[in-house]
Amino acid sequence: MLKHLSFTSSNKKMISQAEENYLKAIYKINEREGKSANTNAISAAMNTTAASVTDMLKRLADKDFIHYEKYKGVTLTTEGSRTATALVRKHRIWEVFLCDKLGYSWDECHDLAEQLEHIQSPDLIDRLDTFLGKPKFDPHGDPIPDRDGNYAKRQQVRLDEMLIGDRGVMVGVHEHSSAFLQHLDRVGLVLAVQVEVLEVFDFDKSVKIRLNGLQELLISNKVSENVFIKIA
Amino acid sequence: MLKHLSFTSSNKKMISQAEENYLKAIYKINEREGKSANTNAISAAMNTTAASVTDMLKRLADKDFIHYEKYKGVTLTTEGSRTATALVRKHRIWEVFLCDKLGYSWDECHDLAEQLEHIQSPDLIDRLDTFLGKPKFDPHGDPIPDRDGNYAKRQQVRLDEMLIGDRGVMVGVHEHSSAFLQHLDRVGLVLAVQVEVLEVFDFDKSVKIRLNGLQELLISNKVSENVFIKIA
DNA sequence: ATTTTTTTTTAGACAAGTCTAAAAATTGTT
DNA sequence: AACAATTTTTAGACTTGTCTAAAAAAAAAT
């Protein structure tokens, strides 16, 4: 009788960890692509087969978390969107806790937060939020939704879109892989650092920048297109 | 292919949340009763049927977590015991976090810790332990095992075993229900309070005690047999 | 020592979440 | 427009963890 689900006793609609993970994946694809998520995209994101995705989409549609029409891809309903946003909120708040309080680095905290985001207790996450000083951004610079799911979009540009002489502050990353984050750590291109564009090389789209008004650094396009800067 | 288990990628033996909960229940029964746990006792503790317990015992025996012989009850193997102790450690450390850092009361923290104890990361719990100042006891006075599973047994007696004139400090509870803990809060019989036995009434086994050398209090046997005191 | 009661196990079923292989629908190409 | 390629769905199967009902074993009572 559904004893193995996350919830044990609640009047809210039951939702399993697997269902939550699918909702989050759909939410991200919807956001990133700006359109309905198709089966293959979801199976790629979730590391499952297309068949499994179809099964899950039926379940999620039954529970009114998604709008689903065969062969047409899916979008989230209001409730699905609310649930996904709450997950993102939990994930990012736990990441702040792991980094600020337990000393994890920004490339380590993601995997642990993937587990912690499934803890069921709206009250817990609000208390944790207060304990951490109601942070607005997670350790990667991604904005943390408030209890109602709202969050301010940052005024940001990609580093590769900046022109010579532009200045700003590093506020986030697009790519979130450990390898990329560790590379940024090594070269000193971390959150809150001041960035000034000194030169742009058309040949390979690399850019020379100055960090905190001190050391100069040559950045490849692969890096610059994944770094967000808030223009001063 | 076992994607829905807690673990996703690890060389350690896979163990599901349900399996963990059974191990913990068996561990507690073994400890409390001082003998092998029988099927009915486990089904009562887990709120499942005897049939479900039998199924699970077979699985746990296959994985070498328990010694199981039909109709004979079960005990934990070395590995089962190690796993159960690690769970108790995680549970109690999370309880300290919830109470000390997030302001939960000792009757609220248990249920949340039941969820958090299943987070898979030995490193996380060690960091949390350090963050909290390596506490030796949880908010109910129960000892926290160290990384190797060792913990000091407290030198304690039940309040109903004390004699007139005995003094000591409240260090723990046997019963852990919310109702009981909230009652203790209301009468002021909380962790670390000084207790002196003033009178013992044979009729109903109630005791009159003095708290912190100040107010006097009459305690029923139902309460006194569930309160642990460390004799001064 | 039998019979009765209690405990435990077996048997068969179900839902969630996954898979592979094959069929159907959609999209792209000539 | 017809054929080919891709995407998506269906069909059937498997594991975990649960259940109820019935059978078997062990314990208790006469």
Side-chain angles (χ1 to χ4, degrees):
Chain A
M1 194 252 262
L2 302 183
K3 294 279 294 268
H4 50 297
L5 290 185
S6 320
F7 271 62
T8 47
S9 65
S10 169
N11 40 3
K12 272 187 170 175
K13 194 176 295 189
M14 286 252 201
I15 183 165
S16 70
Q17 293 200 8
E19 287 167 344
E20 287 191 334
N21 287 333
Y22 273 91
L23 283 184
K24 214 176 56 160
I26 294 165
Y27 175 80
K28 281 183 183 166
I29 294 167
N30 281 170
E31 266 220 329
R32 180 151 30 83
E33 321 276 312
K35 57 169 199 238
S36 70
N38 60 19
T39 306
N40 262 8
I42 298 170
S43 74
M46 295 293 300
N47 242 309
T48 55
T49 61
S52 303
V53 173
T54 300
D55 285 350
M56 182 56 90
L57 294 184
K58 285 176 190 161
R59 261 195 292 279
L60 291 175
D62 277 350
K63 295 190 178 183
D64 290 318
F65 286 119
I66 58 171
H67 299 292
Y68 173 49
E69 232 186 315
K70 274 190 194 178
Y71 297 98
K72 301 294 180 191
V74 293
T75 53
L76 296 173
T77 61
T78 306
E79 195 185 345
S81 190
R82 201 187 39 69
T83 306
T85 310
L87 275 167
V88 170
R89 169 173 161 80
K90 288 199 279 182
H91 182 101
R92 291 180 181 168
I93 287 176
W94 277 115
E95 280 194 342
V96 172
F97 172 70
L98 293 170
C99 288
D100 283 13
K101 301 299 180 185
L102 301 192
Y104 281 98
S105 59
W106 66 350
D107 62 293
E108 295 172 314
C109 61
H110 176 79
D111 289 349
L112 273 168
E114 288 283 296
Q115 287 188 61
L116 288 161
E117 71 189 3
H118 296 294
I119 299 294
Q120 301 285 355
S121 168
D123 181 57
L124 170 61
I125 208 67
D126 289 341
R127 289 200 192 206
L128 190 56
D129 187 40
T130 301
F131 175 65
L132 297 171
K134 298 191 184 295
K136 292 280 169 290
F137 300 98
D138 79 6
H140 311 96
D142 295 314
I144 298 176
D146 66 17
R147 283 168 36 156
D148 304 317
N150 305 312
Y151 51 92
K153 267 253 173 275
R154 282 164 312 190
Q155 200 60 41
Q156 65 186 22
V157 296
R158 298 205 316 260
L159 176 48
D160 68 321
E161 297 168 333
M162 293 172 71
L163 304 173
I164 293 173
D166 284 352
R167 294 148 167 273
V169 172
M170 154 80 157
V171 292
V173 291
H174 183 236
E175 162 81 36
H176 282 70
S177 71
S178 275
F180 178 57
L181 297 175
Q182 279 167 23
H183 174 71
L184 291 184
D185 272 336
R186 263 200 309 278
V187 302
L189 192 47
V190 295
L191 231 51
V193 81
Q194 258 187 58
V195 174
E196 178 184 356
V197 175
L198 303 177
E199 278 187 81
V200 176
F201 299 101
D202 282 348
F203 170 66
D204 60 355
K205 293 180 183 159
S206 62
V207 289
K208 195 200 266 183
I209 60 176
R210 184 149 49 208
L211 295 183
N212 284 333
L214 295 165
Q215 95 246 44
E216 298 182 3
L217 194 62
L218 191 66
I219 296 291
S220 73
N221 181 248
K222 187 166 179 190
V223 168
S224 67
E225 69 185 3
N226 282 299
V227 169
F228 294 134
I229 305 292
K230 180 177 167 189
I231 299 292
Chain B
M1 193 253 263
L2 304 183
K3 294 278 294 271
H4 49 297
L5 291 186
S6 320
F7 271 62
T8 46
S9 64
S10 168
N11 40 4
K12 273 187 169 175
K13 195 178 294 189
M14 285 252 201
I15 182 164
S16 70
Q17 292 199 9
E19 286 167 343
E20 287 191 334
N21 286 334
Y22 272 92
L23 283 184
K24 214 176 56 159
I26 294 165
Y27 175 81
K28 281 184 182 165
I29 294 168
N30 281 171
E31 266 219 329
R32 180 152 28 84
E33 321 276 310
K35 57 169 198 234
S36 69
N38 59 18
T39 307
N40 262 8
I42 298 170
S43 74
M46 294 293 300
N47 242 310
T48 56
T49 61
S52 302
V53 173
T54 301
D55 285 351
M56 182 55 90
L57 294 184
K58 285 176 190 161
R59 261 196 291 279
L60 291 175
D62 277 351
K63 295 190 178 184
D64 289 318
F65 285 120
I66 59 172
H67 298 294
Y68 173 49
E69 232 187 315
K70 274 191 195 176
Y71 298 98
K72 301 294 180 192
V74 293
T75 52
L76 297 173
T77 60
T78 306
E79 194 185 345
S81 190
R82 200 185 42 67
T83 306
T85 310
L87 275 167
V88 170
R89 170 173 161 79
K90 288 198 280 183
H91 182 101
R92 293 180 181 168
I93 287 175
W94 276 114
E95 280 194 342
V96 172
F97 172 70
L98 293 170
C99 288
D100 283 13
K101 300 300 180 184
L102 301 193
Y104 281 98
S105 58
W106 65 350
D107 62 292
E108 294 172 314
C109 62
H110 176 80
D111 288 348
L112 274 168
E114 288 283 298
Q115 288 187 61
L116 289 160
E117 71 188 4
H118 296 294
I119 300 294
Q120 301 285 355
S121 167
D123 181 56
L124 171 61
I125 209 67
D126 289 341
R127 289 200 192 206
L128 191 55
D129 186 40
T130 301
F131 175 65
L132 297 170
K134 297 189 185 296
K136 293 281 170 289
F137 300 98
D138 79 7
H140 310 97
D142 295 314
I144 298 175
D146 65 17
R147 283 166 35 154
D148 304 318
N150 304 313
Y151 52 94
K153 266 255 174 272
R154 282 164 312 189
Q155 200 60 42
Q156 65 186 23
V157 296
R158 298 205 315 260
L159 176 48
D160 68 321
E161 297 167 333
M162 293 172 72
L163 304 173
I164 293 173
D166 284 351
R167 294 148 167 273
V169 173
M170 153 79 156
V171 292
V173 292
H174 182 236
E175 163 81 36
H176 282 69
S177 71
S178 275
F180 179 58
L181 296 175
Q182 279 167 22
H183 174 71
L184 292 184
D185 272 337
R186 264 201 307 278
V187 301
L189 193 46
V190 295
L191 231 50
V193 79
Q194 260 186 57
V195 174
E196 177 183 356
V197 175
L198 303 176
E199 278 188 81
V200 176
F201 300 101
D202 282 349
F203 170 66
D204 60 354
K205 293 180 183 159
S206 63
V207 289
K208 196 199 265 182
I209 61 176
R210 185 149 47 208
L211 295 183
N212 283 334
L214 296 166
Q215 96 245 44
E216 298 183 2
L217 195 60
L218 191 67
I219 295 291
S220 74
N221 182 249
K222 188 167 180 191
V223 168
S224 67
E225 69 185 3
N226 281 300
V227 169
F228 294 133
I229 307 292
K230 182 176 165 189
I231 299 292

